[in-house]
């Protein structure tokens, strides 16, 4: 059963490799998230009110600015892994968010407002969007964890995150607030950034700041990432009702699939993440979309959806045993390397 499970998982995750064709695609104009150049680059580019830096997490540009600040502040730790910060493993977060924005997944799908639509409030991110709410825990929580870890040094002001217009109790809005409500998540993200910061002191006598093991950094980042999803998933299940059945299924399949990707310590740098994302659906799924024959999706995109669905069903049917088998196989650095190679070889065949 173990070998069979590994092969099922590997086939399901095969799209996440960087093939020659997708590497070419990833060097085009779409290498950065939409509107990346307009996002605030410095924390003091956000409004300051009552001695607080105020960030509107329900505006796409502001949330993108949170990511941009994380990438800029952590750039020096990843200099050895690629030019112009391209080797930074935090790229996976804003690139996923950009894909969600570009495909309309951050808009209000309840029909109640024009939030997120081109003929309405285009940059608005709806609190009724399942994707937007899930992403809050992969944007604001990592950011506040980084603030607490000291990634931005001593800030002249406190950080305040603006609440949405409704469902305010589903989120936290400051370092102190989040520490009191979700200490485990904050601790996981803080641990990742503290690991980066700790390497700076070790590297004082060396020529490079990148004195850490990339595998260790990826392990800490993926631990925090999967913790965020595991916490947010049951909390926002009610938002799935605003989506079509195929899209809701895909959302849950995606969340399940992340656990399998995480176990390999998959690198979420700029090029690799872009290479992965061309296999994701470039629009929302609607009623009538039937796998594996959605006509305006590529064969690879159809295959990814089918594979993620099968993986999720298989994991549920085995009571999570499928994931446990995979995680055990990926529990050593050598095992993870084999896992990634297996994925690459299956994807390129």
């Amino acid at each position: 059963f173990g070998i069979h499970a590994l092969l099922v998982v590997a086939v399901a995750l095969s799209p996440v490799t960087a093939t020659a064709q997708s590497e070419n695609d990833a060097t085009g104009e779409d290498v950065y998230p939409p509107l990346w150049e307009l996002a605030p680059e410095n924390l003091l580019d956000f409004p300051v009110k009552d001695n607080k830096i105020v960030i509107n997490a329900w505006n796409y540009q502001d949330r993108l600015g949170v990511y941009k600040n994380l990438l800029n502040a952590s750039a020096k730790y990843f200099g050895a892994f690629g030019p112009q910060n391209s080797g930074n493993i935090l790229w996976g977060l804003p690139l996923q968010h950009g894909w969600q924005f570009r495909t309309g997944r951050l808009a209000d799908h309840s029909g109640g407002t024009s939030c997120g639509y081109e003929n309405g409030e285009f940059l608005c991110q709806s609190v009724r969007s399942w994707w937007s709410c899930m992403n809050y825990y992969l944007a604001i929580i990592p950011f506040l964890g980084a603030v607490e870890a000291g990634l931005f040094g001593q800030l002249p002001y406190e950080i305040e995150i603006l609440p949405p217009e409704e469902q305010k109790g589903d989120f936290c809005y400051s370092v102190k607030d989040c520490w009191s409500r979700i200490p485990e998540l904050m601790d996981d993200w803080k641990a990742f950034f503290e690991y980066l910061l700790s390497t700076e002191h070790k590297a004082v006598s060396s020529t490079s700041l990148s004195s850490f093991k990339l595998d260790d950094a990826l392990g800490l980042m993926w631990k925090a990432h999967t913790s965020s999803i595991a916490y947010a998933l049951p909390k926002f299940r009610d938002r799935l009702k605003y989506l079509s059945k195929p899209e809701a299924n895909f959302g849950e399949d995606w969340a399940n699939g992340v656990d399998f990707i995480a176990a390999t310590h998959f690198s979420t740098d700029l090029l690799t993440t872009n290479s992965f994302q061309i296999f994701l659906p470039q629009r929302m799924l609607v009623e009538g979309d039937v796998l594996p024959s959605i006509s305006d999706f590529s064969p690879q995109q159809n295959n990814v959806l089918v594979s993620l669905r099968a993986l999720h069903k298989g994991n549920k049917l085995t009571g999570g045993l499928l994931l446990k088998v995979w995680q055990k196989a990926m529990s050593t650095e050598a095992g993870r390397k084999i896992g990634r190679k297996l994925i690459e070889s299956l994807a390129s065949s």
Side-chain angles (χ1 to χ4, degrees):
F1 173 77
I3 296 297
H4 176 69
L6 290 178
L7 287 172
V8 169
V9 173
V11 169
L13 297 184
S14 60
V16 303
T17 189
T19 63
Q21 179 195 349
S22 57
E23 281 185 17
N24 292 335
D25 294 341
T27 55
E29 289 181 4
D30 294 335
V31 68
Y32 298 109
L35 309 180
W36 183 250
E37 69 283 356
L38 301 178
E41 295 194 7
N42 188 293
L43 288 179
L44 294 178
D45 292 339
F46 289 100
V48 176
K49 187 178 179 184
D50 298 329
N51 281 326
K52 290 180 179 177
I53 295 168
V54 180
I55 299 172
N56 180 5
W58 303 97
N59 173 280
Y60 170 72
Q61 214 162 295
D62 269 26
R63 206 181 285 194
L64 206 59
V66 162
Y67 286 130
K68 201 171 194 178
N69 275 271
L70 279 176
L71 276 152
N72 288 344
S74 60
K76 61 185 176 183
Y77 304 106
F78 294 94
F81 303 109
Q84 297 179 301
N85 204 21
S86 61
N88 194 322
I89 60 175
L90 288 170
W91 272 115
L93 296 172
L95 286 169
Q96 272 279 285
H97 193 50
W99 163 75
Q100 292 163 359
F101 175 74
R102 193 171 59 248
T103 56
R105 287 180 162 86
L106 304 176
D108 180 359
H109 306 116
S110 73
T113 70
S114 63
C115 177
Y117 293 95
E118 286 194 38
N119 59 350
E121 302 163 87
F122 183 51
L123 294 177
C124 173
Q125 292 193 202
S126 178
V127 73
R128 298 182 188 183
S129 160
W130 180 85
W131 291 97
S132 180
C133 292
M134 291 292 292
N135 179 264
Y136 190 95
Y137 282 84
L138 291 169
I140 301 306
I141 309 310
F143 170 67
L144 293 176
V147 170
E148 179 70 0
L151 184 70
F152 301 101
Q154 193 67 39
L155 290 173
Y157 308 106
E158 285 182 47
I159 302 284
E160 181 183 9
I161 310 296
L162 294 180
E165 292 182 1
E166 55 184 309
Q167 309 289 340
K168 295 177 183 179
D170 287 340
F171 310 94
C172 57
Y173 306 104
S174 67
V175 170
K176 187 177 177 182
D177 183 29
C178 293
W179 267 112
S180 68
R181 291 165 63 175
I182 47 169
E184 296 88 357
L185 293 192
M186 286 289 285
D187 207 41
D188 281 348
W189 282 108
K190 185 186 176 195
F192 166 68
F193 290 108
E194 283 181 337
Y195 176 71
L196 296 186
L197 288 160
S198 72
T199 64
E200 189 170 1
H201 304 299
K202 295 174 191 171
V204 170
S205 60
S206 74
T207 54
S208 170
L209 279 170
S210 301
S211 62
F212 61 85
K213 282 183 67 178
L214 189 59
D215 187 69
D216 290 344
L218 283 162
L220 288 165
M221 187 207 68
W222 278 117
K223 181 178 186 291
H225 191 123
T226 52
S227 294
S228 282
I229 289 179
Y231 178 84
L233 200 53
K235 181 179 277 289
F236 299 119
R237 194 152 273 137
D238 65 319
R239 308 297 204 275
L240 291 169
K241 68 188 176 194
Y242 299 126
L243 301 175
S244 70
K245 187 66 176 170
E247 178 70 18
N249 284 340
F250 166 60
E252 292 194 294
D253 296 345
W254 164 87
N256 173 76
V258 170
D259 283 328
F260 289 89
I261 295 170
T264 71
H265 293 187
F266 181 72
S267 184
T268 43
D269 58 74
L270 184 68
L271 178 61
T272 312
T273 305
N274 270 303
S275 302
F276 161 55
Q277 291 201 151
I278 65 167
F279 297 103
L280 293 176
Q282 298 306 305
R283 64 162 173 81
M284 293 187 68
L285 277 71
V286 296
E287 302 296 350
D289 281 337
V290 179
L291 297 171
S293 50
I294 301 175
S295 59
D296 60 334
F297 285 7
S298 69
Q300 294 97 327
Q301 287 168 342
N302 272 289
N303 288 341
V304 169
L305 294 175
V306 169
S307 301
L308 286 173
R309 180 99 281 246
L311 186 63
H312 190 191
K313 280 185 175 178
N315 199 36
K316 281 174 81 172
L317 283 170
T318 60
L321 185 59
L322 198 58
L323 178 60
K324 288 187 175 72
V325 169
W326 180 250
Q327 287 172 331
K328 187 169 184 182
M330 299 294 107
S331 62
T332 65
E333 197 166 347
R336 290 189 289 276
K337 190 173 181 181
I338 292 168
R340 292 192 295 267
K341 287 288 182 190
L342 181 59
I343 289 168
E344 287 169 16
S345 65
L346 284 166
S348 57
S349 61

